[in-house]
Amino acid sequence: MSHRTKLIAALAAVPLLVGLAACASPASGDGDAANEVVKIGVVGAGDPQWAAFEQAAADEGITVEVVDFSDYAQPNPATSEGELDLNQFQHIVYLADYNVSSGEDLTPIGATAIYPLGLYSTKYDSVKDIPKGETVAVPNDASNQARALLVLQSAGLIELKSGGTIFSDLADIDESASKVKVTALEASLTPTSLPDVAAAVINNDFVEDAGLKFEDAIAQDDPSDPNALPYVNIFAARAEDKDNETYLKLVEIFQNDADVQAALVESSGNTAVPVQTPVADLVDSLTKVEADTKAAKG
């Protein structure tokens, strides 16, 4: 990946629409996986790991129904309301913000991968080529916006008054010290904004759908940084289902099936870093980020 940039150390300070036709039939808690149907909400059901995952689960007697969403706003509410059994589309920071804002208690039951967040341009080959005063687009949801701003700061395009945290937003930009202006758009719209802006930070789910290649990123953060734990993607469940043996078996299948893992990496353009972070560590990180999020929201 050209012009790789690194997520700044500020990340260490703390630790994404479719209606559902019917309610899910949650798997029973007795651990009997046979003939279970488990509904899992994702963004990007066409990614090859999901077909591989459905087959691997079927081989273990579990029927998985992958439910596709076009944006990040709906899978968590659908899980909280019981329309989904699990979801797998978000990192810990996003889940923490949802839990704090909604008063819900979704919890991670397994890690999947961590993905770099990239800056893309159809006009410039390097961040150094972007003229002063140009505009760059970032996602408008709180967690991804903050991460995107950290990427822009690391790339030398902006300065953040606080130095940068997972709570940074547009108001935190020191405009007098920044090279570019920043506009926030719904995450799925950042790719379509490229003709109108100098560059855009685009979530992995939307890169290839926009006809882009992951290696086209002109800047990105470093997913292998140990301080990036809050950005590990996870399977999330309702708190009362955290010990459901069927769900935990599905996490194990996802993490260990060779076809699933190969498809996961392939679908990310070889950018995903698969992880098997212990659930206790994920929960500890979520607890910390939730506490910091509550404090930040006052």
Side-chain angles (χ1 to χ4, degrees), residues 1 3-9 11-12 113-119 147 150-152 154-155 204 217 219-232 270-273 275:
M1 188 75 66
H3 305 284
R4 180 179 293 268
T5 60
K6 202 164 190 176
L7 183 64
I8 63 173
L11 181 59
I114 187 165
Y115 302 83
L117 186 63
L119 177 69
R147 188 181 181 190
L150 292 173
V151 170
L152 296 184
S154 183
N204 269 38
Q220 67 177 51
D221 57 15
D222 183 359
S224 64
D225 188 331
N227 292 320
L229 174 59
Y231 292 110
V232 167
N270 296 316
T271 63
V273 179
V275 292

Side-chain angles (χ1 to χ4, degrees), residues 86-132:
L86 304 171
N87 66 56
Q88 199 287 289
F89 73 102
Q90 67 192 323
H91 47 53
I92 292 169
V93 175
Y94 191 94
L95 177 59
D97 186 75
Y98 169 76
N99 279 348
V100 170
S101 298
S102 67
E104 297 292 348
D105 60 354
L106 298 185
T107 190
I109 63 167
T112 59
I114 187 165
Y115 302 83
L117 186 63
L119 177 69
Y120 296 83
S121 176
T122 55
K123 298 178 181 178
Y124 304 104
D125 295 327
S126 166
V127 292
K128 295 180 180 179
D129 297 333
I130 298 176
K132 183 176 178 61

Side-chain angles (χ1 to χ4, degrees), residues 63-86:
T63 300
V64 168
E65 180 181 343
V66 175
V67 182
D68 195 26
F69 291 83
S70 61
D71 66 32
Y72 299 132
Q74 295 303 309
N76 278 332
T79 304
S80 295
E81 294 164 8
E83 295 172 341
L84 298 172
D85 298 304
L86 304 171

